[in-house]
Amino acid sequence: GKIMIYKLKENRVRRSYLGGKRIDKFQGRKESENGYYPENWIGSVVEAKNPNYFVEGEGLSMVEEGMLLRDIIEKNPKEILGVEKMPILLKMLDSAERLVIQAHPTIPFAKKYFDSDFGKTECWYFIDCDEDACVYIGFKPGITREKWEQLFHAQDSEGMLGLLHKIKVKKGDVVFVDGGVPHAIGGGSLILE
């Protein structure tokens, strides 16, 4: 087959948490500060969704020639990726603060509730980290739904974090997060997800 090489444009995306300074530094910018564009969606065929903030097409990667990566892949995903359909989201994420506790859908959940063939499993590669950087992932043994819901309804974030495993991370570490697993990224990390 024919080999095509495309250069993708920068694709900063608005999120609800602060960060971005490490991305600027990584890209060689002298001027940088944390703000609400803490992610660079390097290769994305999905739109960003934010509560109370939506910009049509935000998050979709574009190649230098002006075409959307989504459109290029959708022309012939079997030839390009070896599969019939493949949603892609490769991003650089700079968490200046701890992100919210969340769990992404499994494939069966996504099929049942979102009419989608895809869940969201993640893998994080830590490019740079503060000395005290950490992630929270998976419930500790013996955690009950009742205890979790009690802390959730009380909005006791620290109590909820205490029910998850806290894992220190450093530059070069890799963390795999299967769909359905509760997790939160601590502040102070530049991650390739």
Side-chain angles (χ1 to χ4, degrees):
K2 185 176 166 183
I3 296 175
M4 298 296 296
I5 297 174
Y6 296 101
K7 184 166 180 168
L8 296 164
K9 294 182 177 184
E10 184 176 33
N11 190 16
R12 292 296 277 267
V13 176
R14 182 174 174 83
R15 307 314 284 160
S16 61
Y17 66 92
L18 288 172
K21 187 174 184 174
R22 280 185 171 87
I23 294 174
D24 291 339
K25 184 178 174 186
F26 182 82
Q27 293 176 330
R29 290 189 179 97
K30 292 184 187 342
E31 299 287 323
S32 63
E33 64 182 8
N34 287 318
Y36 289 103
Y37 287 85
E39 296 181 7
N40 182 15
W41 288 20
I42 299 165
S44 170
V45 299
V46 297
E47 284 185 292
K49 304 234 184 320
N50 289 298
N52 304 318
Y53 177 86
F54 178 74
V55 174
E56 190 170 338
E58 183 181 27
L60 293 172
S61 293
M62 185 175 287
V63 299
E64 282 189 337
E65 294 81 3
M67 298 171 293
L68 291 175
L69 179 63
R70 176 186 65 192
D71 296 342
I72 294 168
I73 291 173
E74 284 181 357
K75 284 181 186 173
N76 194 345
K78 187 90 169 154
E79 183 178 317
I80 295 170
L81 299 172
V83 295
E84 295 299 328
K85 188 173 181 182
M86 172 66 102
I88 295 172
L89 176 53
L90 172 65
K91 64 182 172 180
M92 190 176 290
L93 179 156
D94 174 21
S95 59
E97 59 187 359
R98 179 185 55 78
L99 278 61
V100 297
I101 299 169
Q102 53 191 293
H104 299 300
T106 61
I107 292 171
F109 186 94
K111 282 183 179 185
K112 183 175 180 179
Y113 294 101
F114 303 130
D115 192 29
S116 172
D117 291 331
F118 304 99
K120 188 174 182 208
T121 293
E122 298 180 346
C123 188
W124 307 323
Y125 174 78
F126 290 81
I127 298 170
D128 188 31
C129 298
D130 287 347
E131 180 121 352
D132 60 347
C134 68
V135 296
Y136 301 86
I137 184 166
F139 289 121
K140 293 178 180 174
I143 303 305
T144 64
R145 182 181 187 111
E146 181 180 272
K147 179 66 174 170
W148 181 258
E149 287 181 355
Q150 175 189 12
L151 293 170
F152 173 80
H153 291 299
Q155 285 298 284
D156 182 350
S157 296
E158 291 305 312
M160 292 169 70
L161 288 171
L163 302 184
L164 303 174
H165 297 280
K166 182 178 181 180
I167 301 168
K168 286 192 60 125
V169 291
K170 64 186 180 324
K171 181 179 180 175
D173 282 351
V174 175
V175 175
F176 177 83
V177 185
D178 209 355
V181 175
H183 62 277
I185 296 171
S189 293
L190 179 60
I191 301 168
L192 188 61
E193 176 185 309

